[in-house]
Amino acid sequence: MNAPARVPRHIAIVMDGNGRWAKARFQPRSFGHNAGRKAVRDVIEGCVRQGVEALTLFAFSSENWQRPEDEVSALMGLFLRALDKEVDELHAQGVRLRFIGELAGFSDELRQRMERAMARTAQNARLQLNIAVNYGGRWDIVQAARQAALAIGRGELTAEALDEAALGRWMSLAELPPLDLFIRTGGEQRISNFLLWQAAYAELYFTDTLWPDFDQACLARAIDDYARRERRYGRTSEQVAPAPAR
């Protein structure tokens, strides 16, 4: 009997290519961002079907504020509409929604809607969906270091006791399974300051597919590719190979 396919417990995706997808259709970049919502829904459904425990999507980086004002404004409007339209469906599917990043950078209205969406879905456990907004991997490490410094100042921790495990508990997503599979769409092959700490041992998967065209079949191919890889974590192939049957 064949062994069951390995499914990553935690997947992260850089959803790249919305603007180029729109440009190829002679449409504004906001058209591509709106089209990308279907891909988000498709990937969430695919993760639920495959038994993935956590999905983290890079929706808006801390560097994205530098984009043209009209595009940023369109993205903020898209966030508001998505929160209005998508939360009910996510809740019905048993998906827990969480936003990670420097949320104080958003308007009071948007932040309050995020908080209501998180509170409504807080008890769901079928899939942990994390949306990274105004997020940067370096910011994540800095805010964890700041929390560690405060703990040292309060006498709850000593500098000598500060190791990877201690610092890691203040990182975003610390309570979730470690990141297994890091996907980037759109043809670029870089991490772009996303989940720098969490991606230390993740398998990287790059595809030329632009995000609005990324569907469940694309997700299945990425997971199949992941399942064929050997994850050694510094060990040899012989050390990670299963013992022969007796």
Side-chain angles (χ1 to χ4, degrees), residues 146-220:
R146 186 178 297 121
Q147 293 300 318
L150 291 172
I152 292 172
R154 293 190 298 265
E156 300 168 0
L157 180 70
T158 65
E160 293 74 18
L162 182 59
D163 56 13
E164 291 182 19
L167 186 61
R169 72 176 191 241
W170 284 296
M171 293 290 170
S172 298
L173 313 178
E175 75 284 4
L176 295 181
L179 181 60
D180 291 318
L181 176 60
F182 184 111
I183 299 171
R184 181 172 186 142
T185 66
E188 303 291 353
Q189 298 188 22
R190 57 178 179 268
I191 293 178
S192 293
N193 197 23
F194 184 41
L195 299 179
L196 296 181
W197 178 276
Q198 296 86 346
Y201 278 101
E203 296 295 322
L204 306 182
Y205 179 88
F206 301 106
T207 173
D208 290 335
T209 302
L210 302 177
W211 177 246
D213 293 326
F214 194 87
D215 55 17
Q216 289 189 44
C218 296
L219 176 67

Side-chain angles (χ1 to χ4, degrees), residues 87-158:
V87 173
D88 287 345
E89 182 176 345
L90 292 173
H91 185 54
Q93 292 184 60
V95 175
R96 180 186 179 187
L97 177 62
R98 179 181 174 191
F99 295 93
I100 62 169
E102 185 52 78
L103 302 187
F106 295 104
S107 69
D108 289 344
E109 179 186 14
L110 182 52
R111 192 166 61 252
Q112 288 168 7
R113 292 198 195 185
M114 290 178 182
E115 290 170 352
R116 286 198 296 269
M118 288 190 286
R120 184 175 183 200
T121 62
Q123 302 305 313
N124 296 336
R126 195 173 184 189
L127 174 69
Q128 307 291 316
L129 173 62
N130 313 291
I131 308 296
V133 287
N134 197 20
Y135 174 90
R138 291 176 176 175
W139 164 86
D140 201 354
I141 295 170
V142 168
Q143 65 84 27
R146 186 178 297 121
Q147 293 300 318
L150 291 172
I152 292 172
R154 293 190 298 265
E156 300 168 0
L157 180 70
T158 65

